[in-house]
Amino acid sequence: MIELWNSLPVVMQILLKITAILVPLLLLVAYYTYAERKVIGYIQIRIGPNRVGWRGWLQPIADALKLLFKEVVIPSKADKALYLMAPVITIGPAMAAWAVIPFDAGLVLSDINAGLLYVLALTSLGVYGIIIAGWASNSKYALLGAMRSAAQIVAYEIAMGFALVGVLVAAGSLNLGAIVEAQAGSVFTWFWLPLLPLFGVYLISGVAETNRAPFDVAEGESEIVAGFHVEYSGMAFAVFFLAEYANMILISALNALLFMGGWLSPLPQSWVAGVPLLDDGFHWFALKTGFFMFLFLWLRATFPRYRYDQIMRLGWKVFIPITIVWILVVALAVVYRLPPWWSA
Amino acid sequence: MGFEKFLFYVFAAITVLAAGMVVTRRNPVHAVLYLVLAFFSSAALWLLLEAEFLGLVLVLVYVGAVMVLFLFVLMMLDIDLATLRAGFIRYLPLGVVIAVVMAVQILLVVGPGNFGAEQFPTPAAAAADVSNIEEVGLLLYTDYVYPFELAAVILLVGIIAAIRLTLRRRPGTKYLDPTQQIQVRKGPDRVRLVSQVSTAGLREEQGARDVAQSQEDGSA
């Protein structure tokens, strides 16, 4: 088996690895939409989809087929090329960012030493899809959604970037694998504790960055119909949807990697080394990512939408000052080797 | 021709092409999007130079933030292309003269005499584990610390000037102050929390009552 693998050309190996990441990711996206409808259903004391397949398990497949066969309507005065390009621009970065996400020790497609920066750069590109979609639709609601999204993302990206600077200072590396290794120990040496304010800022900025409730003013269905994607139909709309959910999973995975120790076990290594299921491994990473994915749904079911000016206030006047102060605190803690995190 | 060279020519061609489109497109939004493409492919060129920090920061700062704000402003402007083009012929001669002078100046500075390939021997490739960020950081905060701080101060002055220029107080207008709004407390102010019984329990009770009712009806 390994001989067969090694005999393949390098390009072929990389393509196979990409498939091995993207196919489960897209399946996960499909069933994340199902989970969302079920979880929010139960939170609101409804049942959720339960007609297609056993307990509604085939609902995402039915939805995908329905959207595939629907017509993609292009508004008569739309900028046709940009209108069709916008969904592609949205989903491209959402998929490409997975190239540097480590799933287990050493299990990563591309182990580059600027991984964190790469993820941040790619997630900042996602906003172009929204802005271009809003502008190219030639519709006032779509344009309003695009404007809101642009202002919101610029504000929250600064807070997000600063939160990640804190992680960089604490770990001393931009490689996502090395960042996880720097948290080794137990649940109390993970970065969520020493970087608690940054963790909070990153978690909330992540919700804002993916345009999810309560920060979904770009969509705002009760105010501006559906915001940037009001004119989109069929598969073009579905691609926006896919990108949004892929981004949510990505942010959840990043939360798990940067602050919750990725694939590390919450128990000290000396207790669990070699014990199946308790030892470090992919399942811990999946569990933590799953928790944050659930959090996204929980937040959506719980909070009403933020008002636009309050979003701006929270981003600029609360989050950015918090991150700046805490970066200084972390820098001092690292320089003076505050135990137990930086005593070595 | 190695693969790396091939990549270089691909990205260089895209950069030049996109830059050309930026100045020739009539639609300003298209022009800005081509500028984004130009930035993006120059970031790829920097990656080929093994300057991954600069390349990614170019994408992060210019593509991810600055150009978003450009687009934001451009989409809100109502640019009338007819008035923009009206003076084209009248100002063409003067424009050509200025363009030629600038081109000569640029050539004098960045011509082959100063920046030609023979002036710069190919640097040895750094080892794979050399961190760009560490190198840039060390240089910025040791050798270039004063220019760096000066640049920061100039940017700060720019920020303050921009805020001062756009800040105008209009006492007559009504506007919401979110900082004051979130001060609302739940006792004395206008917020009242109502504790709501979960309807799940109610529904079960209702169901039990219905069952009891039907049993009664059956036995009657």
Side-chain angles (χ1 to χ4, degrees), chain A residues 112-265:
Chain A
I112 59 174
N113 64 4
L116 191 57
L117 212 55
Y118 170 84
V119 170
L120 198 60
L122 277 184
T123 47
S124 73
L125 288 181
V127 65
Y128 275 97
I130 295 176
I131 297 181
I132 291 173
W135 183 79
S137 300
N138 203 13
S139 148
K140 58 187 95 163
Y141 292 120
L143 188 65
L144 278 174
M147 302 272 96
R148 287 177 172 200
S149 182
Q152 177 183 324
I153 292 211
V154 168
Y156 280 81
E157 213 169 68
I158 298 173
M160 212 170 176
F162 276 151
L164 294 185
V165 169
V167 173
L168 163 66
V169 171
S173 170
L174 277 176
N175 181 307
L176 287 168
I179 289 173
V180 172
E181 295 297 344
Q183 303 176 49
S186 71
V187 64
F188 298 110
T189 60
W190 296 349
F191 284 157
W192 66 273
L193 192 56
L195 303 182
L196 195 59
L198 298 183
F199 176 45
V201 167
Y202 187 79
L203 196 63
I204 299 169
S205 308
V207 180
E209 188 89 352
T210 47
N211 280 319
R212 290 289 299 181
F215 295 95
D216 58 343
V217 289
E219 225 175 289
E221 76 280 350
S222 53
E223 305 152 23
I224 49 171
V225 198
F228 65 96
H229 59 50
V230 62
E231 303 291 345
Y232 282 84
S233 61
M235 210 52 210
F237 166 75
V239 171
F240 275 121
F241 218 72
L242 284 178
E244 181 175 321
Y245 282 78
N247 270 327
M248 280 156 69
I249 302 172
L250 178 74
I251 296 284
S252 305
L254 282 174
N255 265 315
L257 287 171
L258 301 176
F259 296 100
M260 299 301 270
W263 59 83
L264 298 176
S265 166

Side-chain angles (χ1 to χ4, degrees), chain A residues 79 128 131 147 174 307 313, chain B residues 30 63 67 133 181-182:
Chain A
D79 190 319
Y128 275 97
I131 297 181
M147 302 272 96
L174 277 176
R307 217 178 55 205
R313 176 188 157 273
Chain B
H30 288 178
V63 178
M67 298 319 286
I133 302 152
Q181 283 185 319
I182 59 157

